[in-house]
Amino acid sequence: MTTFAYGRVSTAEQTTENQRLELEQAGYTVDYWFQDVGVSGKCPASERAGFQELMARIRKGETLVVTKLDRLGRDAVDVLSTVHRLAGMGVKVVVLQLGDTDLTSPAGKLMLTMLSAVAEMERGSLIERTQAGLERAKAEGKRLGRKPKTTEEQREQIKARARAGESPSVLSREFGVSRATIIGLRDGV
C-alpha cells in the first residue's frame, strides 16, 4: 500500500520538515510527500498547488496521512468536502491529531458526521452574523452595494431625457452606464 503525505505552512520562513518527522515518528513510511509552503490556512485545499498535485496522483487503495485536520482544508466545510472527495476516490485518510483515525472508517465517518454538524452550525452562524451586520449598517444609514456610476443630478437628467424620447443607447454611451440602467431609470424601476 502506497502512503502519501501532505504538509502545509503559512510562511516561506517556515518548513514542513517537522510535520514530515512527526509522520515518520508515528511509524509511517512516506512514499510520496507533497507540501505547500507560504500558503495561508485560509486558502481552500483545492486551491493549493501542492495539494492539487497530490490529488492528481493519488489513487484508489492508497493512503493519505496528515498531522492535523486543518491541513485538509481552511474550515470545517472545506475539510469535510476534501475528505468526502478522497473517500469517494477510495483513498484512506488518516489524521494523526485525531489519534491515528482513518476518516473513511466507521469511527472516522462518525467523526465526519459530527464535523458536518459543526460545519452546518458554522454556516448558519456566518449567515446570522452577515445578516446582523447588514441590518446594523442599514440602521446606521449606510448605503449598501456598489457605488453608483452616476450622481443623483445625472440620474434626474437621464430620467427626463429618456422620458422625452431620447434613445437609451445614446444616453447609455453619454453617461457610461448600461442600456438596462437607462431603461430602468426611465420606467422608474
Side-chain angles (χ1 to χ4, degrees), residues 166-180 182-183:
E166 203 163 331
S167 163
S169 295
V170 170
L171 292 170
S172 171
R173 282 191 295 276
E174 183 179 332
F175 288 94
V177 295
S178 69
R179 287 184 78 250
I182 301 297
I183 293 167

Side-chain angles (χ1 to χ4, degrees), residues 137-183:
K138 285 179 188 177
E140 293 172 357
K142 292 184 180 174
R143 186 182 188 289
L144 302 177
R146 191 172 71 180
K147 183 181 176 189
K149 288 185 174 183
T150 56
T151 64
E152 186 60 40
E153 183 180 315
Q154 289 173 320
R155 288 190 290 279
E156 290 304 320
Q157 287 176 12
I158 291 169
K159 287 178 196 177
R161 289 171 60 183
R163 288 181 182 146
E166 203 163 331
S167 163
S169 295
V170 170
L171 292 170
S172 171
R173 282 191 295 276
E174 183 179 332
F175 288 94
V177 295
S178 69
R179 287 184 78 250
T181 298
I182 301 297
I183 293 167

Side-chain angles (χ1 to χ4, degrees), residues 26-132:
Y28 287 94
T29 302
V30 175
D31 298 302
Y32 296 99
W33 174 255
F34 295 87
Q35 66 183 12
D36 281 302
V37 175
V39 177
S40 167
K42 294 178 182 176
C43 179
S46 62
E47 294 177 15
R48 302 173 189 163
F51 198 81
Q52 288 174 348
E53 186 181 347
L54 178 149
M55 292 298 287
R57 296 200 49 200
I58 200 163
R59 299 287 177 256
K60 181 178 182 175
E62 296 174 331
T63 301
L64 170 61
V65 184
V66 295
T67 56
K68 296 181 180 176
L69 195 59
D70 68 353
R71 301 301 176 242
L72 296 174
R74 91 174 153 216
D75 56 22
V77 176
D78 191 28
V79 170
L80 187 61
S81 171
T82 301
V83 172
H84 277 305
R85 183 172 169 205
L86 287 161
M89 295 168 60
V91 173
K92 181 178 176 181
V93 181
V94 177
V95 179
L96 294 184
Q97 177 188 41
L98 300 177
D100 207 21
T101 302
D102 171 13
L103 295 181
T104 61
S105 71
K109 288 178 184 176
L110 174 62
M111 279 189 187
L112 280 180
T113 301
M114 290 186 297
L115 181 61
S116 178
V118 170
E120 184 65 32
M121 186 180 80
E122 184 179 307
R123 275 192 299 270
S125 295
L126 177 64
I127 290 167
E128 286 176 5
R129 289 191 307 269
T130 301
Q131 292 302 320

